[in-house]
C-alpha cells in the first residue's frame, strides 16, 4: 500500500539504492477516488519455478491472486 492511511491503491515499487528511495513501477489496484474500496494484506512470494505470486484482500470481499514472471517484471524496469 502506497499510503500510510489509505488502502485504495496497491502498487509494486522498486529501489535501486538499498531501499533509500522507491519508484512505483506498476499499480495492481488504483481506485484513488473510491476510498471505500480497500486492498490490504499484500503478500509476494516467488515459486520454485520462478513465477511471482501476489495475494491480497480485494475490496474486503475476496482474496485476489496475481501471477507474473521475470519477463513481465523486467519489462517494467526498462
Amino acid at each position: 500500500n502506497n499510503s500510510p492511511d489509505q488502502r485504495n491503491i496497491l502498487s509494486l515499487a522498486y529501489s535501486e539504492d538499498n531501499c533509500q528511495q522507491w519508484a512505483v513501477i506498476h499499480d495492481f489496484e488504483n481506485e484513488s477516488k473510491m476510498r471505500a474500496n480497500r486492498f490490504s494484506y499484500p503478500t509476494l512470494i516467488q515459486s520454485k519455478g520462478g513465477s511471482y505470486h501476489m495475494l491480497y484482500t480485494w475490496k474486503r470481499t475476496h482474496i485476489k491472486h496475481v501471477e507474473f514472471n521475470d519477463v513481465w517484471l523486467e519489462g517494467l524496469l526498462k
Side-chain angles (χ1 to χ4, degrees):
N1 301 83
N2 295 13
S3 169
D5 60 345
Q6 299 295 322
R7 294 183 185 266
N8 53 336
I9 301 173
L10 185 65
S11 302
L12 182 64
Y14 178 75
S15 175
E16 292 183 334
D17 59 2
N18 201 24
C19 303
Q20 297 299 309
Q21 295 181 346
W22 292 87
V24 171
I25 57 173
H26 181 74
D27 285 335
F28 287 103
E29 304 286 351
N30 188 338
E31 297 194 9
S32 57
K33 295 180 182 176
M34 307 216 28
R35 293 181 184 252
N37 290 337
R38 294 176 62 100
F39 311 104
S40 48
Y41 307 109
T43 301
L44 180 64
I45 61 169
Q46 186 176 21
S47 66
K48 287 183 180 181
S51 294
Y52 296 91
H53 300 268
M54 188 168 87
L55 296 102
Y56 54 95
T57 303
W58 184 81
K59 297 185 180 183
R60 298 184 182 179
T61 61
H62 295 80
I63 302 296
K64 188 166 182 178
H65 173 230
V66 178
E67 181 178 358
F68 55 94
N69 59 25
D70 281 329
V71 173
W72 180 83
L73 187 56
E74 288 168 7
L76 295 175
L77 297 173
K78 291 182 179 181

Coordinates of all heavy atoms in Angstrom, one line a residue:
N1 N 0.8 -1.2 0.0 CA 0.0 0.0 0.0 C 0.9 1.2 0.0 O 1.8 1.3 0.8 CB -0.9 0.0 1.2 CG -1.8 -1.2 1.3 OD1 -1.4 -2.3 1.7 ND2 -3.0 -1.1 0.8
N2 N 0.6 2.2 -0.8 CA 1.4 3.4 -1.0 C 1.2 4.4 0.1 O 2.1 5.2 0.3 CB 1.1 4.1 -2.3 CG 1.4 3.2 -3.5 OD1 1.7 2.1 -3.4 ND2 1.4 3.8 -4.7
S3 N 0.1 4.4 0.7 CA -0.2 5.5 1.7 C -0.2 4.9 3.1 O -0.7 3.8 3.3 CB -1.6 6.0 1.4 OG -2.1 6.8 2.4
P4 N 0.2 5.7 4.1 CA 0.2 5.2 5.4 C -1.2 5.2 6.0 O -1.4 4.5 7.0 CB 1.1 6.3 6.2 CG 1.1 7.5 5.3 CD 0.9 7.0 3.9
D5 N -2.2 5.9 5.4 CA -3.5 5.9 6.0 C -4.6 5.5 5.1 O -5.8 5.5 5.5 CB -3.8 7.3 6.6 CG -3.7 8.4 5.5 OD1 -3.2 8.1 4.4 OD2 -4.2 9.5 5.8
Q6 N -4.4 5.2 3.8 CA -5.4 4.7 2.9 C -5.0 3.4 2.3 O -3.8 3.0 2.2 CB -5.5 5.7 1.7 CG -6.0 7.1 2.2 CD -7.4 7.1 2.7 OE1 -8.3 6.4 2.3 NE2 -7.5 7.9 3.8
R7 N -6.0 2.6 1.8 CA -5.7 1.3 1.3 C -6.4 1.1 -0.1 O -6.8 0.0 -0.4 CB -6.1 0.2 2.2 CG -5.3 0.2 3.5 CD -5.8 -1.0 4.4 NE -5.1 -1.0 5.6 CZ -3.9 -1.6 5.9 NH1 -3.4 -2.4 5.0 NH2 -3.4 -1.6 7.1
N8 N -6.6 2.2 -0.8 CA -7.3 2.1 -2.1 C -6.3 2.1 -3.3 O -6.8 2.1 -4.4 CB -8.3 3.3 -2.2 CG -7.7 4.6 -2.0 OD1 -6.6 4.7 -1.3 ND2 -8.3 5.7 -2.5
I9 N -5.1 2.1 -3.0 CA -4.1 1.9 -4.1 C -3.1 0.8 -3.7 O -2.6 0.8 -2.5 CB -3.3 3.2 -4.4 CG1 -4.3 4.3 -4.8 CG2 -2.2 3.0 -5.5 CD1 -3.6 5.7 -4.9
L10 N -2.8 -0.1 -4.6 CA -1.9 -1.2 -4.3 C -0.9 -1.3 -5.4 O -1.2 -1.5 -6.5 CB -2.6 -2.5 -4.1 CG -1.7 -3.7 -3.6 CD1 -1.1 -3.4 -2.2 CD2 -2.5 -5.0 -3.6
S11 N 0.4 -1.0 -5.1 CA 1.4 -0.8 -6.2 C 2.6 -1.7 -5.9 O 2.9 -2.1 -4.8 CB 1.9 0.6 -6.3 OG 0.8 1.5 -6.5
L12 N 3.4 -1.9 -7.0 CA 4.7 -2.6 -6.9 C 5.7 -1.5 -7.1 O 5.6 -0.7 -8.0 CB 4.8 -3.6 -8.0 CG 6.0 -4.4 -8.1 CD1 6.2 -5.3 -6.8 CD2 6.0 -5.3 -9.3
A13 N 6.7 -1.4 -6.2 CA 7.7 -0.4 -6.2 C 9.1 -1.1 -6.2 O 9.3 -2.2 -5.8 CB 7.6 0.5 -5.0
Y14 N 10.1 -0.3 -6.7 CA 11.4 -0.8 -6.9 C 12.4 0.2 -6.4 O 12.2 1.4 -6.5 CB 11.7 -1.1 -8.4 CG 13.0 -1.5 -8.7 CD1 13.4 -2.8 -8.5 CD2 13.9 -0.7 -9.3 CE1 14.7 -3.3 -8.8 CE2 15.2 -1.1 -9.7 CZ 15.6 -2.4 -9.4 OH 16.8 -2.9 -9.7
S15 N 13.5 -0.3 -5.8 CA 14.5 0.6 -5.3 C 15.9 0.2 -5.9 O 16.2 -1.0 -5.9 CB 14.6 0.5 -3.7 OG 15.7 1.3 -3.3
E16 N 16.7 1.1 -6.3 CA 18.0 0.9 -6.8 C 19.1 1.3 -5.9 O 20.3 1.2 -6.2 CB 18.2 1.6 -8.2 CG 17.3 1.0 -9.3 CD 17.6 1.7 -10.6 OE1 18.0 2.9 -10.6 OE2 17.4 1.1 -11.6
D17 N 18.7 1.9 -4.7 CA 19.7 2.5 -3.8 C 19.6 1.9 -2.4 O 19.6 2.7 -1.4 CB 19.6 4.0 -3.9 CG 18.3 4.5 -3.4 OD1 17.4 3.7 -3.1 OD2 18.1 5.7 -3.4
N18 N 19.5 0.6 -2.3 CA 19.4 0.0 -1.0 C 18.3 0.5 -0.2 O 18.4 0.8 1.0 CB 20.8 0.1 -0.3 CG 20.9 -0.9 0.8 OD1 20.4 -2.0 0.8 ND2 21.8 -0.6 1.8
C19 N 17.1 0.6 -0.8 CA 15.8 1.0 -0.1 C 15.8 2.4 0.4 O 15.0 2.7 1.3 CB 15.5 -0.1 1.0 SG 15.5 -1.7 0.4
Q20 N 16.6 3.3 -0.1 CA 16.5 4.7 0.3 C 15.4 5.4 -0.4 O 14.7 6.2 0.3 CB 17.8 5.4 0.1 CG 19.0 4.8 0.8 CD 18.8 4.9 2.3 OE1 18.5 5.9 2.9 NE2 18.9 3.8 3.0
Q21 N 15.2 5.2 -1.7 CA 14.1 5.8 -2.4 C 13.4 4.7 -3.2 O 14.1 3.7 -3.7 CB 14.7 6.8 -3.4 CG 15.3 8.0 -2.7 CD 15.8 9.1 -3.7 OE1 15.9 8.8 -4.9 NE2 16.0 10.2 -3.2
W22 N 12.1 4.8 -3.4 CA 11.3 3.8 -4.1 C 10.6 4.5 -5.3 O 10.2 5.6 -5.2 CB 10.3 3.2 -3.1 CG 10.9 2.4 -2.1 CD1 11.4 2.8 -0.9 CD2 11.2 1.0 -2.2 NE1 11.9 1.7 -0.2 CE2 11.8 0.6 -0.9 CE3 11.0 0.0 -3.1 CZ2 12.2 -0.7 -0.7 CZ3 11.4 -1.3 -2.8 CH2 12.0 -1.6 -1.6
A23 N 10.5 3.7 -6.3 CA 9.7 4.2 -7.5 C 8.6 3.2 -7.8 O 8.9 2.0 -7.9 CB 10.6 4.3 -8.7
V24 N 7.4 3.7 -7.9 CA 6.3 2.8 -8.3 C 6.4 2.4 -9.8 O 6.6 3.3 -10.6 CB 4.9 3.5 -8.1 CG1 3.8 2.7 -8.7 CG2 4.7 3.8 -6.6
I25 N 6.4 1.1 -10.0 CA 6.6 0.6 -11.4 C 5.3 0.0 -12.0 O 5.2 -0.1 -13.2 CB 7.8 -0.4 -11.5 CG1 7.6 -1.6 -10.6 CG2 9.1 0.3 -11.3 CD1 8.6 -2.7 -10.8
H26 N 4.3 -0.3 -11.1 CA 3.1 -0.8 -11.5 C 2.0 -0.7 -10.5 O 2.3 -0.9 -9.3 CB 3.2 -2.3 -11.9 CG 2.0 -2.9 -12.4 ND1 1.5 -2.6 -13.7 CD2 1.1 -3.8 -11.9 CE1 0.4 -3.3 -13.9 NE2 0.1 -4.0 -12.8
D27 N 0.8 -0.3 -10.9 CA -0.3 -0.3 -9.9 C -1.2 -1.5 -10.2 O -1.7 -1.7 -11.3 CB -1.2 0.9 -10.1 CG -0.7 2.2 -9.6 OD1 0.2 2.1 -8.7 OD2 -1.0 3.3 -10.1
F28 N -1.3 -2.4 -9.2 CA -2.2 -3.6 -9.3 C -3.6 -3.1 -9.1 O -4.5 -3.6 -9.8 CB -1.8 -4.6 -8.3 CG -0.5 -5.4 -8.6 CD1 0.6 -5.1 -8.0 CD2 -0.5 -6.3 -9.6 CE1 1.8 -5.7 -8.3 CE2 0.7 -7.0 -10.0 CZ 1.8 -6.7 -9.3
E29 N -3.8 -2.2 -8.2 CA -5.1 -1.6 -8.0 C -4.9 -0.1 -7.8 O -4.0 0.3 -7.1 CB -5.8 -2.2 -6.7 CG -5.9 -3.7 -6.7 CD -7.0 -4.2 -7.6 OE1 -7.8 -3.4 -8.2 OE2 -7.1 -5.5 -7.8
N30 N -5.9 0.7 -8.3 CA -5.8 2.1 -8.1 C -7.2 2.7 -8.2 O -7.7 2.9 -9.3 CB -4.9 2.8 -9.1 CG -4.7 4.3 -8.8 OD1 -5.5 4.9 -8.1 ND2 -3.6 4.8 -9.3
E31 N -7.8 2.8 -7.1 CA -9.1 3.4 -7.0 C -9.1 4.6 -6.1 O -9.8 4.7 -5.1 CB -10.2 2.4 -6.6 CG -10.2 1.2 -7.6 CD -11.4 0.3 -7.4 OE1 -12.3 0.7 -6.6 OE2 -11.5 -0.7 -8.0
S32 N -8.3 5.6 -6.5 CA -8.0 6.7 -5.6 C -9.2 7.6 -5.3 O -9.3 8.2 -4.3 CB -6.9 7.6 -6.2 OG -7.2 8.0 -7.5
K33 N -10.2 7.5 -6.2 CA -11.5 8.3 -6.0 C -12.5 7.5 -5.2 O -13.5 8.0 -4.8 CB -12.0 8.7 -7.3 CG -11.1 9.7 -8.1 CD -11.7 10.1 -9.4 CE -10.7 11.0 -10.1 NZ -11.2 11.4 -11.4
M34 N -12.2 6.2 -5.0 CA -13.2 5.4 -4.3 C -12.5 4.9 -3.0 O -12.1 3.7 -2.9 CB -13.6 4.2 -5.1 CG -14.1 4.7 -6.5 SD -15.5 3.8 -7.2 CE -16.4 3.1 -6.0
R35 N -12.5 5.7 -2.0 CA -11.8 5.4 -0.7 C -12.5 4.2 0.0 O -11.8 3.6 0.9 CB -11.8 6.6 0.2 CG -10.9 7.7 -0.4 CD -10.8 8.8 0.5 NE -10.0 9.9 -0.1 CZ -8.8 10.2 0.3 NH1 -8.3 9.6 1.3 NH2 -8.2 11.2 -0.4
A36 N -13.7 3.8 -0.3 CA -14.3 2.7 0.4 C -13.7 1.4 -0.1 O -13.8 0.4 0.7 CB -15.8 2.7 0.1
N37 N -13.2 1.3 -1.3 CA -12.6 0.1 -1.8 C -11.2 0.0 -1.1 O -10.4 0.9 -1.2 CB -12.5 0.1 -3.3 CG -13.8 0.0 -4.0 OD1 -14.8 -0.5 -3.4 ND2 -13.9 0.5 -5.2
R38 N -11.0 -1.2 -0.6 CA -9.7 -1.4 0.2 C -9.0 -2.6 -0.4 O -9.6 -3.7 -0.7 CB -10.0 -1.6 1.6 CG -10.6 -0.3 2.3 CD -11.0 -0.6 3.7 NE -9.8 -0.9 4.5 CZ -9.2 -0.1 5.3 NH1 -9.5 1.2 5.4 NH2 -8.2 -0.5 6.0
F39 N -7.7 -2.5 -0.5 CA -6.8 -3.6 -0.9 C -5.8 -3.7 0.2 O -5.0 -2.8 0.4 CB -6.2 -3.3 -2.3 CG -7.2 -2.8 -3.3 CD1 -7.3 -1.5 -3.6 CD2 -8.1 -3.8 -3.8 CE1 -8.3 -1.1 -4.5 CE2 -9.1 -3.4 -4.7 CZ -9.2 -2.0 -5.1
S40 N -5.7 -4.8 0.9 CA -4.9 -4.9 2.0 C -4.2 -6.3 2.2 O -4.5 -7.2 1.5 CB -5.7 -4.6 3.3 OG -6.9 -5.3 3.3
Y41 N -3.3 -6.3 3.1 CA -2.5 -7.5 3.5 C -1.8 -8.2 2.3 O -1.9 -9.4 2.0 CB -3.4 -8.5 4.2 CG -4.1 -8.0 5.4 CD1 -5.5 -7.7 5.3 CD2 -3.4 -7.6 6.5 CE1 -6.1 -7.2 6.4 CE2 -4.1 -7.0 7.6 CZ -5.4 -6.8 7.5 OH -6.1 -6.3 8.6
P42 N -1.1 -7.4 1.4 CA -0.4 -8.0 0.3 C 0.7 -8.9 0.7 O 1.5 -8.6 1.7 CB 0.1 -6.8 -0.5 CG 0.2 -5.7 0.5 CD -0.8 -6.0 1.6
T43 N 0.9 -10.0 0.0 CA 2.0 -10.9 0.2 C 2.5 -11.3 -1.1 O 1.8 -11.6 -2.0 CB 1.5 -12.2 0.9 OG1 0.9 -11.8 2.2 CG2 2.6 -13.2 1.1
L44 N 3.9 -11.2 -1.3 CA 4.5 -11.5 -2.5 C 5.5 -12.6 -2.3 O 6.4 -12.5 -1.4 CB 5.2 -10.3 -3.1 CG 5.9 -10.4 -4.4 CD1 4.9 -10.8 -5.5 CD2 6.7 -9.1 -4.8
I45 N 5.4 -13.7 -3.1 CA 6.4 -14.8 -3.0 C 6.8 -15.2 -4.4 O 6.2 -14.9 -5.4 CB 5.8 -16.0 -2.2 CG1 4.6 -16.6 -3.0 CG2 5.4 -15.7 -0.8 CD1 4.1 -17.9 -2.5
Q46 N 8.0 -15.9 -4.4 CA 8.4 -16.4 -5.7 C 8.5 -17.9 -5.6 O 9.1 -18.5 -4.6 CB 9.8 -15.9 -6.0 CG 10.3 -16.3 -7.4 CD 11.6 -15.7 -7.8 OE1 12.4 -15.3 -7.0 NE2 11.9 -15.6 -9.1
S47 N 7.8 -18.6 -6.5 CA 7.8 -20.1 -6.5 C 9.1 -20.7 -7.0 O 9.9 -20.0 -7.6 CB 6.6 -20.6 -7.3 OG 6.8 -20.3 -8.7
K48 N 9.3 -21.9 -6.8 CA 10.5 -22.6 -7.3 C 10.6 -22.5 -8.8 O 11.7 -22.5 -9.3 CB 10.5 -24.1 -6.9 CG 10.7 -24.3 -5.4 CD 10.7 -25.8 -5.1 CE 10.9 -26.0 -3.6 NZ 11.0 -27.4 -3.3
G49 N 9.5 -22.5 -9.5 CA 9.6 -22.3 -10.9 C 9.9 -20.9 -11.4 O 10.1 -20.7 -12.6
G50 N 10.0 -20.0 -10.5 CA 10.4 -18.6 -10.9 C 9.3 -17.6 -11.0 O 9.5 -16.4 -11.1
S51 N 8.0 -18.1 -11.0 CA 6.9 -17.2 -11.1 C 6.7 -16.5 -9.7 O 7.0 -17.0 -8.7 CB 5.6 -17.9 -11.4 OG 5.7 -18.5 -12.7
Y52 N 6.2 -15.2 -9.8 CA 5.9 -14.5 -8.6 C 4.4 -14.6 -8.4 O 3.6 -14.6 -9.3 CB 6.3 -13.0 -8.8 CG 7.7 -12.8 -9.0 CD1 8.3 -12.8 -10.2 CD2 8.5 -12.6 -7.9 CE1 9.7 -12.6 -10.4 CE2 9.9 -12.4 -8.0 CZ 10.5 -12.4 -9.3 OH 11.8 -12.2 -9.4
H53 N 4.0 -14.7 -7.1 CA 2.6 -14.8 -6.8 C 2.3 -13.7 -5.7 O 2.9 -13.7 -4.7 CB 2.3 -16.2 -6.2 CG 2.6 -17.3 -7.2 ND1 1.6 -17.8 -8.0 CD2 3.7 -18.0 -7.4 CE1 2.1 -18.7 -8.8 NE2 3.4 -18.9 -8.4
M54 N 1.3 -12.9 -6.0 CA 0.9 -11.9 -5.1 C -0.5 -12.1 -4.7 O -1.4 -12.3 -5.6 CB 1.0 -10.4 -5.6 CG 0.8 -9.4 -4.6 SD 1.2 -7.8 -5.0 CE -0.3 -7.3 -5.8
L55 N -0.8 -12.2 -3.4 CA -2.1 -12.3 -2.9 C -2.5 -11.2 -2.0 O -1.6 -10.7 -1.3 CB -2.2 -13.7 -2.1 CG -2.0 -14.9 -3.0 CD1 -0.6 -15.4 -2.8 CD2 -3.1 -15.9 -2.8
Y56 N -3.7 -10.8 -2.0 CA -4.1 -9.7 -1.2 C -5.6 -9.7 -1.0 O -6.4 -10.3 -1.8 CB -3.6 -8.3 -1.7 CG -4.0 -8.0 -3.1 CD1 -5.2 -7.2 -3.4 CD2 -3.2 -8.4 -4.2 CE1 -5.5 -6.9 -4.7 CE2 -3.6 -8.1 -5.5 CZ -4.7 -7.3 -5.7 OH -5.0 -7.0 -7.0
T57 N -6.1 -9.0 0.0 CA -7.5 -8.9 0.2 C -8.1 -7.8 -0.8 O -7.6 -6.7 -0.8 CB -7.9 -8.4 1.7 OG1 -7.3 -9.4 2.6 CG2 -9.3 -8.3 1.9
W58 N -9.1 -8.2 -1.5 CA -9.6 -7.4 -2.6 C -11.0 -6.9 -2.1 O -12.0 -7.6 -2.0 CB -9.8 -8.2 -3.9 CG -10.2 -7.4 -5.0 CD1 -9.5 -6.6 -5.8 CD2 -11.5 -7.4 -5.6 NE1 -10.2 -6.0 -6.8 CE2 -11.5 -6.5 -6.7 CE3 -12.7 -8.0 -5.2 CZ2 -12.7 -6.3 -7.4 CZ3 -13.9 -7.7 -6.0 CH2 -13.8 -6.9 -7.1
K59 N -11.1 -5.6 -1.9 CA -12.4 -4.9 -1.5 C -13.1 -5.5 -0.3 O -14.3 -5.5 -0.3 CB -13.3 -4.8 -2.7 CG -12.7 -4.0 -3.9 CD -13.8 -3.9 -5.0 CE -13.2 -3.1 -6.1 NZ -14.1 -2.9 -7.2
R60 N -12.3 -6.1 0.6 CA -12.8 -6.7 1.8 C -13.7 -7.9 1.5 O -14.4 -8.3 2.4 CB -13.5 -5.7 2.6 CG -12.7 -4.6 3.1 CD -13.5 -3.7 4.0 NE -12.7 -2.6 4.5 CZ -13.2 -1.6 5.3 NH1 -14.4 -1.7 5.7 NH2 -12.4 -0.7 5.7
T61 N -13.8 -8.4 0.3 CA -14.7 -9.5 0.0 C -14.1 -10.7 -0.5 O -14.6 -11.8 -0.4 CB -15.8 -9.0 -1.0 OG1 -15.1 -8.7 -2.3 CG2 -16.6 -7.9 -0.5
H62 N -12.9 -10.6 -1.1 CA -12.2 -11.8 -1.8 C -10.7 -11.7 -1.5 O -10.2 -10.7 -1.1 CB -12.4 -11.7 -3.3 CG -13.9 -11.9 -3.7 ND1 -14.8 -10.9 -3.7 CD2 -14.5 -13.0 -4.1 CE1 -15.9 -11.3 -4.1 NE2 -15.8 -12.6 -4.4
I63 N -10.1 -12.8 -1.8 CA -8.6 -12.9 -1.9 C -8.3 -12.9 -3.3 O -8.7 -13.8 -4.1 CB -8.1 -14.1 -1.1 CG1 -8.5 -14.2 0.3 CG2 -6.5 -14.2 -1.3 CD1 -8.0 -13.0 1.2
K64 N -7.5 -12.0 -3.8 CA -7.1 -11.9 -5.2 C -5.7 -12.5 -5.3 O -4.8 -12.2 -4.5 CB -7.1 -10.5 -5.7 CG -6.9 -10.4 -7.2 CD -7.3 -9.0 -7.7 CE -7.1 -8.9 -9.2 NZ -7.6 -7.6 -9.7
H65 N -5.4 -13.2 -6.4 CA -4.1 -13.8 -6.7 C -3.7 -13.3 -8.1 O -4.4 -13.4 -9.1 CB -4.3 -15.4 -6.8 CG -3.0 -16.0 -7.3 ND1 -3.1 -17.0 -8.3 CD2 -1.7 -15.9 -6.9 CE1 -1.8 -17.4 -8.5 NE2 -1.0 -16.8 -7.7
V66 N -2.5 -12.7 -8.1 CA -1.9 -12.2 -9.4 C -0.6 -13.0 -9.6 O 0.2 -13.0 -8.6 CB -1.6 -10.7 -9.3 CG1 -1.0 -10.2 -10.6 CG2 -2.9 -10.0 -9.0
E67 N -0.4 -13.5 -10.7 CA 0.9 -14.2 -11.0 C 1.6 -13.5 -12.2 O 1.0 -13.1 -13.2 CB 0.6 -15.6 -11.5 CG 1.8 -16.5 -11.8 CD 1.5 -17.9 -12.1 OE1 0.3 -18.3 -12.1 OE2 2.4 -18.6 -12.4
F68 N 2.9 -13.3 -12.0 CA 3.7 -12.7 -13.1 C 5.1 -13.4 -13.0 O 5.5 -14.1 -12.1 CB 3.8 -11.2 -13.0 CG 4.2 -10.7 -11.7 CD1 5.6 -10.3 -11.5 CD2 3.4 -10.4 -10.6 CE1 6.0 -9.8 -10.3 CE2 3.8 -9.9 -9.4 CZ 5.1 -9.6 -9.2
N69 N 5.9 -13.1 -14.1 CA 7.2 -13.7 -14.2 C 8.3 -12.6 -14.4 O 8.0 -11.5 -14.5 CB 7.2 -14.7 -15.4 CG 6.9 -14.1 -16.7 OD1 7.1 -12.9 -16.9 ND2 6.4 -14.9 -17.6
D70 N 9.5 -13.1 -14.5 CA 10.7 -12.2 -14.7 C 10.6 -11.4 -16.0 O 11.0 -10.2 -16.0 CB 12.0 -12.9 -14.7 CG 12.4 -13.3 -13.3 OD1 12.1 -12.6 -12.3 OD2 13.1 -14.4 -13.1
V71 N 10.1 -11.9 -17.0 CA 10.0 -11.2 -18.3 C 9.1 -10.0 -18.1 O 9.4 -8.9 -18.5 CB 9.5 -12.1 -19.4 CG1 9.2 -11.4 -20.7 CG2 10.5 -13.3 -19.7
W72 N 7.9 -10.2 -17.5 CA 7.0 -9.1 -17.3 C 7.6 -8.0 -16.3 O 7.6 -6.8 -16.6 CB 5.7 -9.6 -16.7 CG 4.7 -8.6 -16.4 CD1 3.8 -8.0 -17.3 CD2 4.4 -7.9 -15.1 NE1 3.0 -7.1 -16.6 CE2 3.4 -7.0 -15.3 CE3 5.0 -8.1 -13.8 CZ2 2.9 -6.2 -14.3 CZ3 4.5 -7.3 -12.8 CH2 3.4 -6.4 -13.0
L73 N 8.3 -8.5 -15.3 CA 8.9 -7.6 -14.3 C 10.0 -6.8 -15.0 O 10.1 -5.6 -14.8 CB 9.4 -8.4 -13.1 CG 9.9 -7.7 -11.9 CD1 8.9 -6.7 -11.4 CD2 10.4 -8.6 -10.9
E74 N 10.9 -7.5 -15.7 CA 12.0 -6.8 -16.4 C 11.5 -5.7 -17.4 O 12.1 -4.7 -17.6 CB 12.9 -7.8 -17.0 CG 13.7 -8.6 -16.0 CD 14.4 -9.8 -16.6 OE1 14.4 -9.9 -17.8 OE2 15.0 -10.5 -15.8
G75 N 10.3 -6.0 -18.0 CA 9.7 -5.1 -19.0 C 9.3 -3.8 -18.2 O 9.4 -2.7 -18.8
L76 N 8.9 -3.9 -17.0 CA 8.5 -2.7 -16.2 C 9.7 -1.9 -15.8 O 9.6 -0.6 -15.7 CB 7.8 -3.1 -14.9 CG 6.5 -3.8 -15.1 CD1 6.0 -4.2 -13.7 CD2 5.5 -2.9 -15.7
L77 N 10.9 -2.5 -15.7 CA 12.1 -1.8 -15.2 C 12.9 -1.1 -16.3 O 13.8 -0.4 -16.1 CB 13.0 -2.8 -14.5 CG 12.4 -3.4 -13.2 CD1 13.3 -4.5 -12.6 CD2 12.1 -2.3 -12.2
K78 N 12.5 -1.3 -17.6 CA 13.2 -0.7 -18.7 C 12.8 0.7 -18.9 O 11.8 1.2 -18.6 CB 12.9 -1.5 -20.0 CG 13.6 -2.8 -20.0 CD 13.4 -3.6 -21.2 CE 14.1 -4.9 -21.2 NZ 14.0 -5.7 -22.3

